[in-house]
Amino acid sequence: MSNQALYLRAANDLRPNAAQWEAYESKGHCVVLAGPGSGKTKTLTTKLARILHEDVQAPRGIACITFNNECARELEARLAQLGIEADERIFIGTVHSFSLTQIVLPYAKTAKLGLPDDFKVATQRDQAFALERAHKRIVGGPGNPQDMRFSMGRHRRSILNRQSEQWRTIDPQMSRLAAYEEELRKLGTIDFDDMPLLAVRALRDHEWLQRAILAKFPVLVVDEYQDLGRALHRMVLGLCFSTGIRLFAVGDVDQSVYGFTGAHPELLQQVAVRSDVETVRLEFNYRCGSNIVVASEFALGEVRGYRTPLGAHEGKIFFHALAGSYEDQANHLFSIVLPDLQRRLEKLRLGEIAILYPAAWIGDAITQLASRYGLGVLRSDANALYPRSSRLMRWLEDCAVWCCSGWRTGEPDFTKLVRDGIRLFAEDITSDDLRLQFQRHLIFALWNRRTRTIAVHDWLEGVRDDAFSEFLSGKMVRDEAETLRQFIERCGADGDAHGMTLEQFAGDGEQNERLNLSTLHSAKGREFRVVILFGMDSGRLPRNGATSNEIREARRTFYVGFTRPKEELHVVYTAARPSSFVVEVQKRMGVIAR
């Protein structure tokens, strides 16, 4: 089947939903307001395929900006199903990646950004050192400079114009800590927050640069617009509403849960209400059972009118008021709730279950109990063995799956492993000869390490040394290389992951089926057959002393977790201190906790 036939078939599936079809048919700027489970990714990728086939002639293409690398992987996988592989015509990545690869790297010198020719992306060590130097200059005295890192980062992202009155007056000490940026430059580095800030400055100061981006990408697609912050919003205003790039944006104000990093949901609203923008609202929830959809409005505290399609399953909600510590409550989960689920739900796999919690440290208690019960876990929080957002580590996971079983089954496809590796190290793999050399080295490295029980420490060191060690000093992968180094160290003789095998790292095979553990924030955009909301307590969600804005965001976070399950939702809380959100949902549902 041709690529065009694939996307036309997908488009035909959108026809029964009038709003999805309206978004697909849009011609100019379009904002799609997409609630949970509304089919927004299918709408987005089908629209992308149509634009590439019908609206944008090669060699021009599309830039698609996503919230994180996980979102980018999902979009790439969905587009591959439509016969579209990411190449030079289509950029898919974060706002940081877009800023770095499309603006800062190619135009830093011409746009006079004041960066050395050989600048690099700062590692965590570089950033810590620069902050210590800046703290000593500006604050002085005792105290841990790293304690100011989060607040400083949010301040830098929130106020883009360093000559503005806001920058001077809102928090003068944090503004003076911009000396941190000077210390980074002394090291010849920029950090991730620098990337969009530098890009915005370059676009603002150089109209020719705006035209250059228009020439390459006449269409800009933005996913999860509500989470991407002021720098992205400033780019959209300049590139789309001044330069003439066409905008197709998708988002949901009700799922904006990253205010602590500088997200502002009102920015999506500002774009959606413009007279030159067509705004489409997706009202159906295809994911959750009907009872969960109804109750989700109680969780949000707002009426949105979301509906389920005819014939949708009902879905069930259970409340568990438990006593004792989180360890005690986790023991109840694994001894009572989980076995009951496996008895009642046909062919339920561990990988179809997610336990979501407000903070990463709560996941530690659950992980320890899971281990005692002989259950594997896959964590997506700050205390995971490595960040799930790491492109290098996720690629290595795919390589590990190939070594365990993929070399026999073709899943994952080796050609895709090569292609993804070349994209990962694109800064250094710049010719056909180098691409062929990388392919040869990779097949040698993997083929000779197809042993499921090999220590992952030895496997990682061997694959790195044989296949890609020479590419780990590039600007764009230095921090990824540090993540890999730290993980290899943790898998060593003295590490907390000592003894992990290749098949455990890959999660390959039925014996490696694992429960999903995640913070509520990291679960956004994902879906599971069963979701257990754990630690839904007063003081945790919302936290004690929260401001009115923080309470609203905590409520949206609760709503995000509430709308992840397809079939069953279990809400677990300490009986003596339930979250006010839980109490309100129970009252409005008229249920008694069990």
Side-chain angles (χ1 to χ4, degrees), residues 285-483:
N285 183 324
Y286 295 97
R287 173 192 302 145
C288 305
S290 55
N291 290 331
I292 298 173
V293 172
V294 171
S296 70
E297 292 196 336
F298 305 153
L300 182 63
E302 301 280 351
V303 176
R304 292 291 184 260
Y306 290 122
R307 299 173 287 162
T308 54
L310 290 175
H313 58 281
E314 288 188 345
K316 296 180 179 179
I317 303 173
F318 301 88
F319 294 89
H320 304 266
L322 303 180
S325 66
Y326 285 146
E327 183 174 321
D328 296 330
Q329 295 177 27
N331 186 62
H332 178 85
L333 279 187
F334 295 127
S335 63
I336 304 296
V337 177
L338 190 58
D340 179 61
L341 279 169
Q342 292 175 316
R343 280 192 299 270
R344 290 188 297 102
L345 299 184
E346 185 179 358
K347 297 181 180 178
L348 178 67
R349 298 182 294 107
L350 287 180
E352 297 175 310
I353 304 170
I355 303 176
L356 313 181
Y357 34 83
W361 65 267
I362 298 176
D364 296 342
I366 300 171
T367 299
Q368 291 170 8
L369 260 295
S371 179
R372 291 184 203 172
Y373 279 86
L375 300 173
V377 300
L378 181 62
R379 294 186 69 170
S380 300
D381 61 34
N383 291 345
L385 284 171
Y386 50 84
R388 300 298 298 165
S389 59
S390 168
R391 293 171 60 230
L392 175 59
M393 296 305 300
R394 295 300 297 273
W395 177 68
L396 285 168
E397 284 180 2
D398 291 341
C399 290
V401 172
W402 189 89
C403 284
C404 288
S405 60
W407 65 278
R408 289 193 184 96
T409 65
E411 288 291 336
D413 176 57
F414 182 75
T415 302
K416 185 176 187 303
L417 291 181
V418 172
R419 184 168 58 246
D420 290 347
I422 289 172
R423 290 177 58 209
L424 186 61
F425 305 116
E427 187 179 349
D428 290 304
I429 303 178
T430 55
S431 68
D432 289 340
D433 286 344
L434 287 172
R435 283 188 277 272
L436 182 59
Q437 178 181 308
F438 173 76
Q439 179 175 334
R440 289 171 175 165
H441 287 175
L442 184 63
I443 188 61
F444 173 84
L446 299 186
W447 187 259
N448 291 320
R449 293 177 175 85
R450 292 169 295 129
T451 306
R452 302 177 68 93
T453 56
I454 187 176
V456 74
H457 173 275
D458 299 338
W459 183 87
L460 286 170
E461 282 198 330
V463 171
R464 178 198 62 192
D465 294 345
D466 286 349
F468 59 86
S469 60
E470 64 193 287
F471 305 134
L472 291 178
S473 59
K475 291 181 175 68
M476 299 172 61
V477 296
R478 290 178 73 236
D479 205 42
E480 296 264 19
E482 179 65 13
T483 296

Side-chain angles (χ1 to χ4, degrees), residues 28-238:
H29 300 311
C30 182
V31 168
V32 180
L33 302 178
S38 60
K40 66 102 173 174
T41 303
K42 181 171 185 176
T43 304
L44 175 61
T45 51
T46 308
K47 180 66 171 179
L48 271 168
R50 180 178 189 174
I51 292 172
L52 278 171
H53 278 285
E54 300 181 16
D55 300 344
V56 177
Q57 299 299 314
R60 305 177 82 192
I62 298 175
C64 181
I65 295 178
T66 65
F67 177 65
N68 56 30
N69 288 326
E70 289 285 280
C71 295
R73 282 172 62 95
E74 172 68 11
L75 287 178
E76 287 177 358
R78 295 285 193 97
L79 284 171
Q81 294 171 4
L82 299 177
I84 296 173
E85 299 292 346
D87 58 19
E88 63 276 3
R89 284 195 67 206
I90 180 166
F91 169 90
I92 302 176
T94 65
V95 66
H96 303 90
S97 178
F98 178 80
S99 299
L100 179 65
T101 63
Q102 306 301 317
I103 298 174
V104 178
L105 277 174
Y107 299 112
K109 188 170 185 178
T110 313
K112 297 180 173 59
L113 292 180
L115 302 177
D117 292 342
D118 59 346
F119 78 89
K120 294 178 172 61
V121 177
T123 65
Q124 293 295 321
R125 288 182 178 181
D126 294 333
Q127 294 171 49
F129 178 76
L131 184 53
E132 287 175 9
R133 295 286 299 269
H135 184 273
K136 184 176 181 179
R137 285 172 50 193
I138 303 302
V139 180
N144 184 356
Q146 304 309 316
D147 291 342
M148 306 184 75
R149 186 169 182 171
F150 180 82
S151 298
M152 180 192 68
R154 180 173 179 175
H155 187 70
R156 291 171 65 205
R157 291 187 294 270
S158 297
I159 305 173
L160 305 185
N161 185 354
R162 302 304 167 76
Q163 280 70 52
S164 68
E165 184 69 16
Q166 277 185 311
W167 180 255
R168 289 192 297 272
T169 61
I170 286 183
D171 192 332
Q173 185 181 70
M174 286 298 163
S175 294
R176 290 198 300 275
L177 268 177
Y180 159 78
E181 296 174 1
E182 297 172 12
E183 296 295 338
L184 284 178
R185 301 302 179 268
K186 291 177 183 177
L187 297 173
T189 63
I190 64 173
D191 70 1
F192 279 89
D193 285 338
D194 276 321
M195 295 173 190
L197 294 174
L198 289 166
V200 166
R201 194 177 91 201
L203 289 168
R204 180 195 64 204
D205 293 346
H206 303 288
E207 187 178 339
W208 59 263
L209 180 53
Q210 298 174 29
R211 294 196 299 270
I213 301 299
L214 169 63
K216 186 173 184 179
F217 299 121
V219 179
L220 175 65
V221 176
V222 183
D223 190 19
E224 302 289 1
Y225 194 107
Q226 75 282 351
D227 290 327
L228 288 165
R230 294 195 184 279
L232 183 278
H233 183 63
R234 190 68 58 83
M235 286 187 204
V236 167
L237 294 181

Side-chain angles (χ1 to χ4, degrees), residues 508-528:
D508 189 62
E510 289 185 9
Q511 69 274 25
N512 286 301
E513 184 72 15
R514 295 178 282 183
L515 278 169
N516 296 282
L517 303 189
S518 173
T519 57
L520 290 162
H521 288 89
S522 295
K524 197 165 82 68
R526 303 174 70 189
E527 62 182 29
F528 308 92

